[in-house]
Amino acid sequence: MKALLSMMKYIRRNRKLWVCGIFVPAFFSTATNLYFADRLQRYVIMITERRASLWEIFGMLLITLFVLLLLSWIDGMGLCAFSLFSAFTENELRDDFYDRLVRTPMNNLQKIGRGEFLIRYNTDIEQSTQIASRDMFGVLYPLFVGTGYMIAVLTADFRIGMIMVLLGGIVILLNFIFVCRIKQVQTEILQAKEVCASSCSDAIRGKMSIRQYCAQRTMSRKIEEAAEQLYQRECCRVRLETLKILTSGMVADSCMYLLTPFACIMAVFGSIGVPVVLFIHQLCRCFIMYTKNFAISFLQYSEHSLSFERVNSVLSFEDEKAENRGGRRGRAPGNYAITFRNVCVAYGNRQVLKDVSFTVSPGECTGIVGESGSGKSTLVKALMQMIEYQGEIFLGEENCRDLSLDILRKSIAYAPEHNDIFPVAVYENIRYGNLMATEEEVNHAAAMAGITEDRETFFRRDVGENGGQLSGGQRQKVSLARALLKNAPVYIFDEPTAALDSEAETILLNTVLQLKQEGKCILLITHKASTIHVADRILRVEGGCVFSEEQVL
Ligand code: ADP
Ligand code: MG
């Protein structure tokens, strides 16, 4: 029910289309069938009692045809409105979903997994839209239309009407029983499909790593097991579908095929007229057709609501600190010392930083060393407000929590340890660091990052997905050039030389010295001895604490 309530927002936004899309077809298709059944009855009366001339009958036929075509044309227009509603809603939901992903803090993104998740969510968005469109249609339409036919048949002959309603009720009940069981089986089918897909994606990734043979073998065994599960479940579903057809389908069909002969027998005994038999026959067929599909819509709703739950888990992410939100300071601080005061960070239950306090002075290069996994990158992520932390971090006099994200991130040029490369040309990749930069500035930043390749061709190169067509060193240089293009007062380099050759490393270290001369505040995280020697002083991260080491230079 929660899914339905949440989708109400979209129904309200496009309410005119929704009302037109559901009620116009329902109303006009009921009207078409009722009108046709009524006309049929009249023709029989006219023909059997021979009251009308051939011309009169022909004239009536033409009018009937015109009215029926008009009604079904309006019905068709309603269905167009329905499709438009579906398209609008899907787009709005997708827009909200991606907007939320872009705005949410980084730790939320880590909850939902790696890149391939978006393809799965796209299907979920399509399925969720159907809650407001097809599922509502599947329930409301038969309710509306079925009630119309029911009343018409009950009025024509109460006894036959009652039998029809009773049999219709049995069909719906039987459908519900099977539908609930099929729903369980379908959940298991979905799980098996997910295991197949994720094992296959692991195997592909494993192929590229050193574990290739082991990974491939383990993953293909997992895929085989999941495929076997999938097959078993599919067989179970087919069995249930067959049983459903044999029971509820047969009741529905007997309703259709028994009621008309029954009405004929009643006509023989004179309790109803022959024309009424035709009227009842026509409407019974329509009534049963909708009854059969009524329960299926509930099944689809429960499937779609599973999809919606996944989409909703993203929709309910909070926004990252709103940029320049009221009350937040949008002024850049005058001095750029960085002060950590009693900062604690935990990932889940695991405490990574414990009560860390230290100050980094402006105008010098501070090195940060420590074992892998000691929490060096975590220090920077907290400063950049990418993760939650306790305690306070100051940029100059300003508490980072009070600074708008826009100002904070403009004040810091950050080259993260994972060199993110976007699927655009190398030049554009660098320019993302400062979209206002001129070509000359991009060239300068590239030179400072140690890009010694022929820039004319290198800048225009396609980088492939995740920069896969660049070497590790090239990716690192592009990422460094992007940070250097920013011209901020604070520079943070996280393992900047991990993938660089010694020539590029020397160029980068010269750049660091140059930045220092320009009076920038530099934080250099590294574990390489050849890199750390440019630092004026060193902080060591160990056991979740930060210790100061003696001056190096
Ligand atoms: P490093 O000193 O190598 O830069 P990090 O700061 O990246 O270390 O990580 C510190 C610890 O926190 C590591 O043990 C790492 O496994 C853990 N960690 C880092 N990021 C996450 C995360 N998003 N979720 C859970 N644990 C994390
Ligand atoms: Mg790190």
Side-chain angles (χ1 to χ4, degrees):
M1 230 31 200
K2 194 179 152 211
L4 189 61
L5 288 177
S6 308
M7 288 307 290
M8 278 306 192
K9 182 168 99 183
Y10 298 96
I11 294 182
R12 268 199 297 275
R13 273 194 214 160
N14 298 307
R15 59 181 169 278
K16 282 185 193 150
L17 276 180
W18 186 80
V19 171
C20 281
I22 288 193
F23 290 102
V24 168
F27 182 79
F28 283 93
S29 108
T30 319
T32 311
N33 282 317
L34 282 175
Y35 179 72
F36 183 60
D38 180 65
R39 290 289 105 173
L40 218 54
Q41 192 175 204
R42 280 194 187 206
Y43 290 132
V44 175
I45 294 172
M46 281 165 88
I47 291 161
T48 50
E49 297 184 4
R50 294 182 187 280
R51 266 199 232 134
S53 71
L54 204 58
W55 282 115
E56 275 175 315
I57 295 177
F58 189 64
M60 248 181 83
L61 258 177
L62 277 182
I63 295 170
T64 308
L65 180 69
F66 175 75
V67 175
L68 281 174
L69 286 180
L70 185 70
L71 289 177
S72 67
W73 183 78
I74 302 174
D75 178 5
M77 286 296 111
L79 289 175
C80 289
F82 179 77
S83 302
L84 264 181
F85 168 80
S86 284
F88 281 157
T89 307
E90 191 179 320
N91 269 346
E92 280 168 10
L93 184 61
R94 182 169 281 118
D95 198 33
D96 286 353
F97 178 85
Y98 288 120
D99 190 48
R100 180 66 45 202
L101 275 185
V102 172
R103 287 166 181 276
T104 199
M106 199 179 70
N107 52 348
N108 281 337
L109 295 184
Q110 285 172 340
K111 282 184 209 157
I112 54 175
R114 291 185 287 257
E116 63 265 30
F117 73 91
L118 279 181
I119 298 164
R120 232 172 32 188
Y121 275 104
N122 251 332
T123 316
D124 283 333
I125 290 170
E126 279 161 31
Q127 305 256 37
S128 305
T129 313
Q130 307 217 350
I131 293 174
S133 50
R134 292 207 183 278
D135 299 346
M136 296 287 272
F137 192 80
V139 172
L140 289 178
Y141 192 86
L143 267 181
F144 192 86
V145 174
T147 314
Y149 298 149
M150 212 166 70
I151 294 170
V153 177
L154 280 169
T155 326
D157 186 88
F158 187 74
R159 292 156 300 183
I160 294 186
M162 279 313 287
I163 300 175
M164 186 181 89
V165 172
L166 187 73
L167 289 176
I170 295 174
V171 173
I172 291 176
L173 188 73
L174 282 172
N175 255 318
F176 262 112
I177 294 170
F178 284 107
V179 152
C180 291
R181 182 67 196 118
I182 291 175
K183 185 189 151 198
Q184 281 174 359
V185 176
Q186 280 191 331
T187 314
E188 288 160 10
I189 289 177
L190 272 183
Q191 279 166 356
K193 280 184 184 167
E194 286 216 347
V195 175
C196 281
S198 73
S199 303
C200 184
S201 115
D202 284 349
I204 293 168
R205 210 168 303 117
K207 235 181 196 172
M208 295 175 185
S209 78
I210 198 137
R211 303 171 293 120
Q212 57 177 318
Y213 300 114
C214 164
Q216 265 172 282
R217 237 178 289 132
T218 321
M219 297 312 160
S220 57
R221 207 167 37 241
K222 265 187 161 182
I223 293 171
E224 253 171 52
E225 279 164 19
E228 176 61 27
Q229 269 287 318
L230 189 62
Y231 173 71
Q232 299 288 347
R233 299 289 89 201
E234 290 282 8
C235 287
C236 180
R237 192 173 62 104
V238 172
R239 275 198 300 274
L240 285 168
E241 296 270 7
T242 316
L243 267 175
K244 184 164 84 71
I245 292 167
L246 284 177
T247 51
S248 78
M250 283 183 125
V251 175
D253 291 341
S254 19
C255 176
M256 211 150 69
Y257 299 128
L258 276 181
L259 277 181
T260 315
F262 184 61
C264 289
I265 294 169
M266 286 171 76
V268 170
F269 287 102
S271 69
I272 53 172
V274 175
V276 182
V277 174
L278 262 181
F279 181 78
I280 288 172
H281 168 74
Q282 175 65 15
L283 294 184
C284 268
R285 281 171 57 88
C286 300
F287 176 78
I288 287 303
M289 210 166 70
Y290 290 115
T291 314
K292 270 183 174 176
N293 291 329
F294 186 67
I296 312 285
S297 298
F298 280 95
L299 169 72
Q300 280 166 351
Y301 169 71
S302 51
E303 251 179 62
H304 297 157
S305 60
L306 283 179
S307 283
F308 182 78
E309 267 169 38
R310 287 162 43 78
V311 172
N312 197 39
S313 65
V314 170
L315 288 176
S316 53
F317 283 164
E318 79 271 26
D319 259 5
E320 201 166 18
K321 266 201 289 186
E323 302 203 344
N324 295 321
R325 204 167 65 187
R328 297 217 173 268
R329 280 177 221 183
R331 192 169 54 81
N335 102 55
Y336 291 94
I338 295 165
T339 310
F340 277 63
R341 196 176 294 161
N342 308 109
V343 172
C344 301
V345 177
Y347 291 112
N349 295 329
R350 214 154 55 83
Q351 192 83 21
V352 176
L353 295 179
K354 299 171 196 152
D355 220 10
V356 167
S357 300
F358 65 91
T359 301
V360 174
S361 318
E364 64 176 10
C365 173
T366 306
I368 295 185
V369 296
E371 283 174 14
S372 297
S374 54
K376 305 184 293 293
S377 302
T378 302
L379 281 176
V380 182
K381 284 180 195 157
L383 167 65
M384 296 297 285
Q385 307 291 300
M386 286 175 164
I387 52 172
E388 295 290 318
Y389 59 90
Q390 266 111 47
E392 312 296 340
I393 304 175
F394 293 89
L395 188 62
E397 313 278 283
E398 305 282 1
N399 192 328
C400 288
R401 285 191 216 276
D402 296 336
L403 275 173
S404 84
L405 275 187
D406 192 28
I407 293 295
L408 176 81
R409 292 184 185 166
K410 267 186 189 151
S411 312
I412 302 175
Y414 171 39
E417 67 186 318
H418 302 293
N419 305 309
D420 297 313
I421 302 294
F422 303 96
V424 287
V426 168
Y427 182 82
E428 287 301 313
N429 256 294
I430 299 176
R431 219 172 61 93
Y432 279 173
N434 176 7
L435 293 175
M436 314 298 282
T438 61
E439 200 175 331
E440 199 183 323
E441 285 168 325
V442 175
N443 266 311
H444 182 61
M448 297 222 297
I451 296 179
T452 46
E453 285 89 342
D454 171 33
R455 276 188 216 128
E456 270 294 299
T457 44
F458 185 60
F459 275 179
R460 269 188 272 117
R461 267 200 43 195
D462 247 344
V463 296
E465 200 179 342
N466 297 323
Q469 290 176 23
L470 296 182
S471 75
Q474 283 172 329
R475 280 203 291 272
Q476 181 139 46
K477 287 185 215 171
V478 171
S479 164
L480 285 167
R482 188 189 298 140
L484 288 167
L485 188 62
K486 205 159 170 185
N487 191 19
V490 179
Y491 283 79
I492 299 176
F493 299 104
D494 196 349
E495 309 279 9
T497 55
L500 295 189
D501 55 55
S502 57
E503 187 196 348
E505 184 178 8
T506 315
I507 297 175
L508 183 78
L509 295 183
N510 281 332
T511 300
V512 171
L513 290 174
Q514 194 186 324
L515 289 172
K516 210 166 69 177
Q517 275 164 12
E518 289 171 19
K520 311 283 190 188
C521 175
I522 302 158
L523 217 60
L524 181 64
I525 300 172
T526 182
H527 61 270
K528 274 171 91 172
S530 55
T531 304
I532 200 67
H533 75 268
V534 287
D536 298 313
R537 65 182 196 120
I538 294 178
L539 299 174
R540 176 172 292 278
V541 186
E542 206 173 295
C545 303
V546 174
F547 304 97
S548 193
E549 289 196 359
E550 69 283 348
Q551 197 125 0
V552 177
L553 288 178

